[in-house]
Amino acid sequence: MPTVTSDKAEIYYEVHGEGAPVVFAHGRGGNAASWWQQVPHFAKDYRVIVFDHRSFGRSVCAHEEFDRTKFDIDLLAVLDAEGIERTAIVCQSMGGWTGLRTTVHHPARVSCLVLSNTPGGIDTPEVAACLENSQRMFAEQGVGRAAVAPDFPDRNPEGAYLYAQIGGLNVNLPADLRGRSTGPEDKIEPAQLSDVDTPTLFITSENDLLFPPEMIRGLSALIPGAECVELPMAGHSPYFETPDAFNETVGAFLAKHAAA
């Protein structure tokens, strides 16, 4: 599978299927393999692009070069390598920094945006408090357990094991992951969202303990015309925990906007 060079990093990516392009941007606990329940589903109708963020999975960069402010240019490097001028972006958690930064700073490249269980770097006191809580939960429970509903390991022990194994492939992460990308340039101010006209869907989940539904609903109100859907049962990772509901929700949104 191909890689592309982007600002002192080698970004691994894959392309599957044909049709209007759709990028899937993974979260802190995953990599391109996280989308194993989405790629076969959406590749029947779309040109699906998945990739490993810098330092994750098979993407390589020096520890000092890990920086979320580079996520959007990494994605643009992939799009340019594939000759893609405009794409839909589906983001999970940390991947929201990629999608929202690209939408705000490079709006002509984005047909529509899905922000699943993520503040996408929006800077509010509530978001800051949730980020602090998420770091504590990751440290105490591990990303694999903190990022799913509390009862998910009991309901689906095989899935919980697989989730942890996929995250365990991220062996090249810097130890202080968050500390390397917390400056003001890493954030999106609410005022920057008032002119966003990209069709946007926020997804939240009933049992997301990291970014609760009420906070995500509040953030969705900052983008004009944005939709917000709450999925039942799942925790922070509905794409993994309840893939049928996630795929149906995302699919309906893409059908309206991905080819625009």
Side-chain angles (χ1 to χ4, degrees):
M1 292 296 179
T3 62
V4 63
T5 300
S6 174
D7 196 356
K8 301 179 182 178
E10 289 294 319
I11 305 300
Y12 172 91
Y13 70 95
E14 302 175 4
V15 182
H16 302 270
E18 297 180 357
V22 180
V23 170
F24 287 82
H26 67 82
R28 164 68 177 84
N31 45 63
S34 297
W35 301 109
W36 62 278
Q37 297 175 102
Q38 283 69 51
V39 171
H41 177 86
F42 287 100
K44 292 180 290 187
D45 299 303
Y46 297 98
R47 185 181 181 188
V48 173
I49 299 96
V50 292
F51 67 100
D52 294 337
H53 283 99
R54 58 173 55 215
S55 290
F56 284 77
R58 292 147 290 188
S59 290
V60 179
C61 74
H63 284 180
E64 61 270 18
E65 296 299 332
F66 179 83
D67 187 344
R68 284 194 303 242
T69 66
K70 298 180 180 181
F71 281 5
D72 55 333
I73 64 171
D74 292 346
L75 175 55
L76 294 183
V78 172
L79 298 181
D80 291 344
E82 290 296 316
I84 297 171
E85 291 296 324
R86 189 172 172 85
T87 185
I89 308 177
V90 180
C91 312
Q92 167 65 24
S93 195
M94 183 192 74
W97 272 252
T98 307
L100 191 56
R101 286 184 64 84
T102 306
T103 299
V104 169
H105 298 302
H106 316 278
R109 306 298 298 268
V110 185
S111 60
C112 60
L113 176 66
V114 178
L115 293 168
S116 178
N117 304 78
T118 179
I122 300 172
D123 186 25
T124 70
E126 293 79 12
V127 169
C130 285
L131 287 171
E132 290 295 331
N133 180 61
S134 70
Q135 293 302 308
R136 178 185 59 78
M137 292 182 67
F138 288 161
E140 293 176 355
Q141 302 178 26
V143 176
R145 180 171 285 272
V148 296
D151 64 344
F152 181 70
D154 293 327
R155 287 190 286 110
N156 188 346
E158 297 86 358
Y161 175 80
L162 178 59
Y163 194 109
Q165 289 297 306
I166 290 173
L169 298 175
N170 297 325
V171 296
N172 296 313
L173 295 178
D176 184 16
L177 190 65
R178 188 182 171 210
R180 296 181 180 274
S181 50
T182 57
E185 67 279 1
D186 182 45
K187 300 177 174 66
I188 300 293
E189 297 297 331
Q192 293 177 264
L193 302 174
S194 60
D195 294 329
V196 171
D197 59 4
T198 303
T200 302
L201 170 66
F202 283 79
I203 294 176
T204 184
S205 308
E206 178 183 9
N207 295 310
D208 188 344
L209 303 183
L210 302 182
F211 301 118
E214 58 271 20
M215 189 196 75
I216 296 298
R217 284 192 290 269
L219 295 178
S220 72
L222 297 174
I223 297 181
E227 305 173 43
C228 187
V229 173
E230 180 176 333
L231 299 181
M233 293 183 62
H236 183 61
S237 303
Y239 73 96
F240 197 99
E241 300 171 70
T242 55
D244 291 344
F246 180 88
N247 292 351
E248 180 179 2
T249 300
V250 172
F253 183 75
L254 295 178
K256 292 189 292 184
H257 302 293

